Amino acid sequence: MAKLENLQTLSKHVGRVWNVSWHPKGQTFASCGEDKTIRIWSRENNSDLKWLNKVILTDGHKRTIREVSWSACGNYLASASFDTTTCIWDKKSGEFECNATLEGHENEVKSVAWSKSGRFLATCSRDKSVWIWEIADEDEYDCAAVLNAHTQDVKKVVWHPTEDILASGSYDNTIKLFKEDPTDSDWMCFATLLGHDSTVWSLSWDKEGKRLVSCSDDNTLKVWKQYLPGNSEGVATPEGQESWKCVCTLSGYHNRTIYDVSWSHLTDLIATSCGDDAIRIFREDDGCDPNAPTFSQIVCVDRAHSQDVNCISWNPVVPDVLVSGSDDEIVKTLQSY
Amino acid sequence: QCKLDQLENQNPNVYNKTGERLVTTEEEDDNVVDEFDSREVFDLIRDITDPEHPLTLEELHVVQESLIQVDNDNNDIQVNFTPTIPHCSMATLIGLSIRVKLLRCLPARFKVKVEVTKGTHNAENAVNKQLADKERVAAALENTHLIKVINQCIASRLCLIG
């Protein structure tokens, strides 16, 4: 059994913390929440594992900030808000400033994510739509697509780790995958992943982007796997399109809604944050069948926070370091052994 | 209470109110820890006003003590409420009022689930899912119009009675 230890308890936010996001270099992360502020936390130096709140961004949004996301280059921070807008922040002037505001959603924006290629940004909303924004020029974002594939509130968007492929999770219980059609450069939904019995709250890709893990209000985690046309397993691929199949359901571990999931690209461990106040870590069993993988819970911290844990994220550079945020207004950094 | 153009349920059944809670000597003793019980939770929500009628949720039997479950050790509270008619369009608003009242009055450690009593509303799954989605509840509570309506429903009507 592994261990998870508390490194630091950061209590600067007033009101629930909704999201945390690591800077791609792993020395900095951002947090946001009900208090309409974004806080940027940095380490003093590489050897020190203590983070300090260096910057507070307060003037971007009029309502709750639901999610923050760093661009792959690390120069931009996007924030999605219940005020229907998404702000793009950068430090070109030396200080963090909001230099672009993306408008168009009719309702609360729930999630925002940058593609690894740096070409696209995606947002999703309670208005049931997913928007793809093309980064045209400095501080210029063109709407490349409005995707109305979901029938309900869209909770989460996450980009593939290497390609311009987007996954979204929704209150309609489904996950959808989108990509650009190479023939006409229109964005299309090429897969709908059915299996969850309630809201899909979050998603995380494995390091190669051939598998996806999802978490839900149905208290389960599901692992989905890609099957390309001509796969040796004989999984049908209608119309020459890749298929995505649920190869593993982890049930019986979480006692309430699972709000977030993070699949480490350094250690392959899966961390979850749950409405039962716990943080859990799962590891894939050695030698299991890749078409029916099994995972074991290696850590469960029952009272990781004193209220619902809304977000969890593995450090992209420093192995085994996690950051979490909760309704208890606290951000925690944690280390697993 | 909020005004509607047309009442959905013009003549609801009206029931008697429960008496005051009997306070035991143990409860008056500051040295004894009182655990939350269903009666205490009931007392918090019984006087919420129905959005349609100048009556309390208790008088309409929308809330009843027997439909409240409290598990102190596990910080778990389940409140079932019964809409007066199975197609009541106010069900979500009533559920939200109950949630908001309990959110404000109970310690944050409690996980409160507010659901329609099984079999009493024709969209109960949809109403329950919405009430259980804390993100949508949080967004709704930032809506100034909605929170005003909810506050009106929650506000104690003792001033009118007195």
Side-chain angles (χ1 to χ4, degrees):
Chain A
M1 215 51 178
K3 267 189 185 163
L4 188 63
E5 273 177 20
N6 202 9
L7 289 175
Q8 224 181 331
T9 298
L10 309 165
S11 49
K12 293 265 187 177
H13 278 288
V14 180
R16 80 166 34 120
V17 178
W18 271 118
N19 192 238
V20 286
S21 171
W22 285 103
H23 184 275
K25 290 203 172 111
Q27 306 292 322
T28 297
F29 65 86
S31 60
C32 66
E34 195 178 6
D35 63 10
K36 310 176 189 74
T37 70
I38 300 166
R39 287 177 181 270
I40 298 175
W41 309 79
S42 297
R43 291 205 290 170
E44 280 297 298
N45 56 61
N46 287 359
S47 57
D48 190 5
L49 278 175
K50 300 282 181 206
W51 276 267
L52 295 172
N53 184 198
K54 294 291 181 67
V55 180
I56 311 169
L57 307 177
T58 53
D59 50 354
H61 292 290
K62 293 182 187 74
R63 290 181 57 188
T64 284
I65 304 175
R66 177 65 182 88
E67 194 166 286
V68 278
S69 173
W70 292 95
S71 62
C73 65
N75 294 332
Y76 298 90
L77 181 70
S79 55
S81 167
F82 284 0
D83 71 8
T84 77
T85 72
T86 304
C87 284
I88 314 291
W89 307 78
D90 65 58
K91 237 174 132 174
K92 273 178 269 186
S93 66
E95 303 269 306
F96 273 98
E97 267 176 22
C98 172
N99 284 317
T101 302
L102 311 185
E103 292 174 351
H105 281 296
E106 287 169 27
N107 266 310
E108 299 93 337
V109 186
K110 298 291 180 74
S111 176
V112 59
W114 302 82
S115 80
K116 290 295 177 294
S117 68
R119 283 185 65 200
F120 300 105
L121 184 77
T123 55
C124 65
S125 161
R126 192 165 70 90
D127 69 12
K128 306 172 190 176
S129 69
V130 172
W131 288 45
I132 310 279
W133 306 80
E134 190 158 10
I135 299 151
D137 211 343
E138 199 160 298
D139 303 332
E140 217 176 286
Y141 297 79
D142 295 337
C143 175
V146 175
L147 303 162
N148 289 305
H150 283 292
T151 58
Q152 291 286 345
D153 188 359
V154 190
K155 297 294 195 187
K156 190 82 174 181
V157 282
V158 283
W159 288 95
H160 189 280
T162 54
E163 295 173 58
D164 285 334
I165 291 172
L166 183 76
S168 60
S170 165
Y171 188 90
D172 70 10
N173 309 353
T174 73
I175 299 154
K176 288 182 184 280
L177 303 179
F178 302 93
K179 66 181 174 191
E180 215 175 1
D181 184 339
T183 56
D184 57 7
S185 79
D186 269 350
W187 283 78
M188 56 168 191
C189 170
F190 68 93
T192 299
L193 282 50
L194 302 168
H196 279 298
D197 294 326
S198 191
T199 303
V200 178
W201 278 95
S202 189
L203 302 159
S204 186
W205 298 87
D206 74 349
K207 63 181 167 212
E208 285 160 341
K210 291 181 174 143
R211 293 192 294 176
L212 187 67
V213 62
S214 55
C215 64
S216 165
D217 179 52
D218 69 11
N219 299 5
T220 73
L221 283 182
K222 283 181 185 284
V223 178
W224 310 80
K225 184 176 177 335
Q226 178 195 45
Y227 290 91
L228 296 171
N231 65 81
S232 59
E233 291 87 356
V235 174
T237 54
E239 293 166 43
Q241 252 337 314
E242 64 192 65
S243 275
W244 281 78
K245 220 179 104 182
C246 175
V247 290
C248 177
T249 299
L250 281 157
S251 52
Y253 293 101
H254 300 86
N255 300 314
R256 291 180 185 276
T257 306
I258 313 165
Y259 287 111
D260 202 8
V261 61
S262 177
W263 201 335
S264 169
H265 292 183
L266 301 175
T267 62
D268 301 322
L269 297 175
I270 293 173
T272 63
S273 68
C274 188
D276 64 9
D277 309 344
I279 292 174
R280 295 176 176 83
I281 299 176
F282 297 87
R283 183 169 61 204
E284 190 169 4
D285 297 330
D286 290 333
C288 62
D289 178 357
N291 297 304
T294 53
F295 291 78
S296 297
Q297 179 176 285
I298 58 164
V299 170
C300 176
V301 180
D302 275 327
R303 302 277 292 160
H305 284 269
S306 65
Q307 294 183 52
D308 295 7
V309 193
N310 295 322
C311 53
I312 188 100
S313 182
W314 289 104
N315 186 302
V317 178
V318 188
D320 301 319
V321 169
L322 280 162
V323 62
S324 63
S326 163
D327 278 358
D328 67 10
E329 316 190 357
I330 283 169
V331 173
K332 279 190 180 185
T333 56
L334 306 130
Q335 167 111 44
S336 71
Y337 298 95
Chain B
Q1 73 276 10
C2 45
K3 292 271 180 277
L4 294 169
D5 295 340
Q6 210 180 347
L7 291 176
E8 279 187 349
N9 185 4
Q10 298 203 354
N11 294 302
N13 292 326
V14 180
Y15 302 83
N16 287 331
K17 288 189 181 191
T18 320
E20 290 299 308
R21 180 191 174 104
L22 295 170
V23 180
T24 63
T25 46
E26 205 178 56
E27 283 168 336
E28 283 183 331
D29 184 347
D30 287 342
N31 297 316
V32 177
V33 178
D34 294 328
E35 299 228 303
F36 279 88
D37 57 25
S38 57
R39 176 59 204 254
E40 213 162 344
V41 174
F42 179 64
D43 280 345
L44 290 172
I45 59 176
R46 61 192 277 206
D47 290 325
I48 296 174
T49 316
D50 181 79
E52 273 199 330
H53 301 281
L55 294 163
T56 66
L57 297 187
E58 178 188 19
E59 288 170 309
L60 294 166
H61 269 199
V62 172
V63 294
Q64 290 173 276
E65 190 187 337
S66 60
L67 296 175
I68 298 170
Q69 268 154 19
V70 179
D71 179 348
N72 248 291
D73 298 333
N74 293 311
N75 297 326
D76 202 54
I77 293 177
Q78 164 112 22
V79 175
N80 284 0
F81 69 100
T82 314
T84 55
I85 42 172
H87 54 270
C88 177
S89 65
M90 295 289 141
T92 312
L93 181 60
I94 292 169
L96 260 180
S97 303
I98 296 170
R99 255 200 95 151
V100 172
K101 181 76 199 255
L102 295 178
L103 213 66
R104 290 180 185 163
C105 298
L106 290 169
R109 67 182 168 96
F110 280 111
K111 313 276 184 185
V112 181
K113 191 182 241 181
V114 177
E115 289 191 330
V116 173
T117 311
K118 213 169 170 44
T120 63
H121 195 273
N122 49 20
E124 66 184 62
N125 290 340
V127 172
N128 290 345
K129 189 170 184 180
Q130 209 165 338
L131 290 173
D133 185 324
K134 69 171 189 183
E135 184 187 60
R136 288 169 69 129
V137 170
L141 301 188
E142 287 185 1
N143 175 324
T144 44
H145 170 68
L146 189 59
I147 198 67
K148 212 169 136 188
V149 173
I150 290 171
N151 283 339
Q152 278 170 349
C153 291
I154 290 176
S156 173
R157 298 180 63 252
L158 288 174
C159 50
L160 298 180
I161 296 160

